[in-house]
């Protein structure tokens, strides 16, 4: 137990735990007067954050002069770190050493029942770190039982957390948290409490948002008025399509979500070759399903088109993402199935519908309507009130004839 306490708090604070339960701590975390020195953090990617968190009196090293940055931090230890970071009033005593911190967080609406199922001495996950960090930093989320996926998105979207690997998709929600990562979290939260701002990893924010509710419109346009996905629409009496995800990509963001699938892509806008900076890619991941057996065929990505008043074009992915192997199966990332779906048997087919939409047009729509209308029109149907459908509450012109 002593060793665990030494890893997180000063000896003085550890001794204060001996005061009877009825007492309330008036202890203020004291900043170190000298720069900490650990023999195992020189050159470490989190060296500066570790020094900052230790100097703030929130984290500490081991008695052998090490910090052990790559060791995991337990859920119990994270409770203490978060309570100190948010400067909560901490009671003393309790059945366990971490009980006063857990109680303080619970009273503040930062820790809720069910946040830590299982053993509290297990390593904390990144999702569990996100829960405490978001509720602690933002009053509007306190006492709210949001899903772990939404809390992770809120953490990443506000810059508190970022990707855990080189690709934007690597947010590793269930991965364990190291003492180095805990130090980075603390320094970011301290920066916010001092009136600073954080840089948002937009690629990771998109990944977290898509994992939460299958689109990234909040990340890209601060808009969240979409239908729930997966969203199914009957195209005709014989065929229906399901939109499982809507992903908006900025082709100029080389570290963005799914950026690797746009490498080598070509862009056309309003019938002419365009630069990647001219627009955004709207990628609809689709599942087509025939409702009756017949001798017909269907191109899944030809189920509908996105109405943009002519201010859009197409994206041609590199050859390795184009498939004509007589299979319309689902594939990773972005892809194009060149094979038609057969109605000879009742089955499903998968494809991606990609549209390249002019950036200036998007901004003009947002200015005009207060949001971007996602206006879709069924293929091979005359434009009228029955042909159109929207994925957003905000709408543009409606065809009523």
């Amino acid at each position: 137990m002593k060793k665990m306490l030494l890893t997180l708090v000063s000896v003085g604070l550890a001794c204060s735990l001996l005061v009877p339960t009825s007492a309330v701590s008036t202890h203020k975390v004291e900043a170190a007067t000298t720069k900490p020195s650990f023999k195992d953090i020189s050159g470490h990617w989190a060296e500066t954050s570790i020094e900052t968190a230790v100097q703030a009196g929130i984290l500490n090293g081991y008695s052998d002069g090490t910090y052990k940055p790559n060791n995991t931090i337990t859920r119990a230890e994270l409770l203490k770190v978060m309570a100190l970071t948010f400067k909560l009033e901490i009671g003393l005593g309790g059945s366990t050493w971490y009980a006063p911190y857990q109680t303080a967080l619970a009273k503040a609406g930062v820790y809720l029942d069910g946040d830590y199922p299982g053993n509290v001495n297990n390593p904390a996950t990144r999702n569990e770190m996100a829960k405490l960090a978001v509720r602690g930093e933002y009053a509007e989320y306190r006492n709210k039982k949001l899903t772990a996926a939404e809390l992770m998105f809120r953490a990443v979207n506000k810059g508190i957390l970022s990707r855990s690997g080189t690709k934007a998709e690597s947010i590793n929600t269930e991965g364990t948290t190291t003492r180095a990562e805990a130090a980075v979290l603390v320094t970011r939260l301290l920066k916010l409490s001092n009136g600073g701002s954080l840089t948002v990893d937009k690629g990771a924010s998109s990944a977290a948002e898509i994992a939460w509710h299958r689109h990234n419109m909040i990340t890209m346009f601060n808009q969240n008025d979409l239908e729930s996905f997966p969203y199914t629409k009957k195209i005709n009496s014989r065929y229906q399509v399901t939109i499982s995800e809507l992903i908006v990509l900025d082709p100029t963001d080389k570290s963005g979500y799914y950026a690797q699938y746009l490498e080598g892509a070509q862009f056309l806008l309003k019938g002419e070759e365009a630069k990647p900076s001219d627009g955004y890619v709207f990628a609809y991941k689709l599942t087509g399903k025939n409702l009756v057996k017949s001798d017909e065929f269907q191109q899944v990505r030809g189920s509908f088109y996105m109405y943009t008043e002519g201010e859009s074009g197409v994206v041609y992915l590199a050859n390795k993402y184009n498939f004509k192997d007589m299979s319309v199966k689902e594939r990773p990332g972005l892809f194009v199935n060149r094979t038609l779906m057969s109605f000879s048997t009742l089955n499903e087919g998968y494809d991606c519908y990609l549209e390249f939409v002019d950036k200036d047009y998007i901004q003009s729509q947002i200015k005009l309507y207060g949001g971007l209308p996602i206006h879709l029109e069924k293929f091979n149907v005359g434009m009228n009130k029955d042909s159109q459908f929207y994925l957003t509450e905000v709408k543009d012109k409606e065809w009523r004839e």
Side-chain angles (χ1 to χ4, degrees):
M1 172 171 160
K2 290 181 180 178
K3 184 175 181 181
M4 183 179 293
L5 292 173
L6 284 169
T7 65
L8 293 169
V9 294
S10 67
V11 174
L13 182 55
C15 292
S16 73
L17 295 177
L18 301 176
V19 178
T21 304
S22 59
V24 174
S25 171
T26 58
H27 174 82
K28 293 183 178 179
V29 177
E30 298 291 342
T33 56
T34 59
K35 182 179 178 180
S37 177
F38 299 111
K39 56 189 178 184
D40 60 346
I41 67 168
S42 179
H44 192 278
W45 64 269
E47 180 180 0
T48 301
S49 293
I50 292 168
E51 291 172 346
T52 299
V54 171
Q55 280 190 286
I58 295 171
L59 288 160
N60 210 333
Y62 290 84
S63 56
D64 63 357
T66 64
Y67 179 80
K68 304 189 189 314
N70 299 323
N71 280 15
T72 57
I73 187 171
T74 69
R75 293 162 154 182
E77 291 169 332
L78 186 62
L79 291 171
K80 177 171 270 188
V81 169
M82 291 293 95
L84 296 181
T85 300
F86 296 125
K87 300 181 173 67
L88 300 181
E89 188 178 77
I90 300 167
L92 300 172
S95 58
T96 60
W97 69 265
Y98 57 82
Y101 308 97
Q102 189 173 32
T103 299
L105 290 165
K107 285 182 177 179
V110 177
Y111 176 86
L112 303 182
D113 287 342
D115 277 352
Y116 283 0
N119 192 337
V120 76
N121 291 311
N122 286 340
T125 67
R126 285 168 56 80
N127 252 335
E128 290 163 349
M129 183 165 60
K131 290 177 185 179
L132 301 184
V134 171
R135 293 203 201 104
E137 184 60 35
Y138 300 99
E140 64 266 34
Y141 296 115
R142 293 198 177 188
N143 286 307
K144 287 191 176 179
K145 270 218 175 243
L146 304 177
T147 64
E150 179 176 355
L151 286 166
M152 173 58 73
F153 164 67
R154 300 297 178 190
V156 178
N157 185 246
K158 292 180 180 295
I160 295 173
L161 296 179
S162 54
R163 70 188 69 190
S164 56
T166 56
K167 291 183 179 179
E169 301 93 280
S170 57
I171 52 177
N172 194 20
T173 57
E174 293 304 318
T176 54
T177 301
T178 66
R179 286 170 49 79
E181 290 169 333
V184 172
L185 175 65
V186 168
T187 57
R188 290 177 180 176
L189 293 171
L190 290 176
K191 185 175 182 179
L192 289 175
S193 69
N194 290 326
S197 59
L198 302 176
T199 301
V200 176
D201 182 341
K202 288 190 71 172
S205 178
S206 286
E209 186 178 357
I210 290 163
W212 168 33
H213 60 189
R214 299 177 180 238
H215 71 72
N216 63 333
M217 289 286 286
I218 299 176
T219 298
M220 302 305 291
F221 307 120
N222 196 29
Q223 184 173 341
N224 189 29
D225 63 339
L226 273 71
E227 297 280 357
S228 297
F229 293 148
Y231 174 77
T232 299
K233 192 70 177 179
K234 195 172 182 180
I235 302 301
N236 53 50
S237 61
R238 303 174 303 281
Y239 172 76
Q240 71 181 27
V241 68
T242 297
I243 304 171
S244 59
E245 292 181 2
L246 168 57
I247 307 166
V248 184
L249 302 98
D250 181 351
T252 65
D253 186 357
K254 299 305 181 184
S255 62
Y257 184 77
Y258 275 5
Q260 65 272 31
Y261 294 102
L262 294 183
E263 293 175 1
Q266 292 182 306
F267 306 92
L268 266 66
L269 192 58
K270 292 176 273 190
E272 298 182 358
E273 188 173 353
K275 297 178 293 186
S277 59
D278 290 337
Y280 290 105
V281 174
F282 283 71
Y284 299 82
K285 299 194 77 170
L286 307 177
T287 304
K289 183 177 182 179
N290 59 305
L291 304 176
V292 296
K293 293 182 181 180
S294 72
D295 58 359
E296 296 183 58
F297 289 84
Q298 172 72 39
Q299 186 182 59
V300 176
R301 70 180 181 280
S303 302
F304 58 82
Y305 64 92
M306 185 174 175
Y307 179 74
T308 58
E309 302 180 44
E311 298 297 319
S312 65
V314 296
V315 183
Y316 293 108
L317 300 181
N319 287 336
K320 62 182 177 180
Y321 301 123
N322 284 262
F323 299 91
K324 194 173 181 180
D325 55 6
M326 303 309 292
S327 173
V328 283
K329 65 182 181 182
E330 188 171 14
R331 306 174 197 268
L334 302 184
F335 59 91
V336 173
N337 273 329
R338 297 289 177 190
T339 304
L340 298 178
M341 175 184 167
S342 170
F343 285 8
S344 58
T345 58
L346 294 177
N347 60 7
E348 294 182 339
Y350 301 85
D351 210 340
C352 293
Y353 164 53
L354 308 173
E355 188 144 354
F356 190 56
V357 184
D358 183 88
K359 282 186 176 180
D360 291 337
Y361 170 76
I362 289 172
Q363 293 306 316
S364 70
Q365 293 283 286
I366 293 172
K367 184 177 180 180
L368 181 61
Y369 299 110
L372 177 65
I374 306 294
H375 176 172
L376 306 177
E377 291 280 344
K378 300 175 185 178
F379 256 126
N380 299 321
V381 178
M383 265 191 171
N384 56 49
K385 63 182 181 180
D386 297 322
S387 67
Q388 65 190 351
F389 60 103
Y390 289 84
L391 298 183
T392 53
E393 290 179 9
V394 62
K395 295 177 172 59
D396 52 13
K397 62 181 67 176
E398 294 194 35
W399 301 95
R400 301 188 180 280
E401 296 180 358

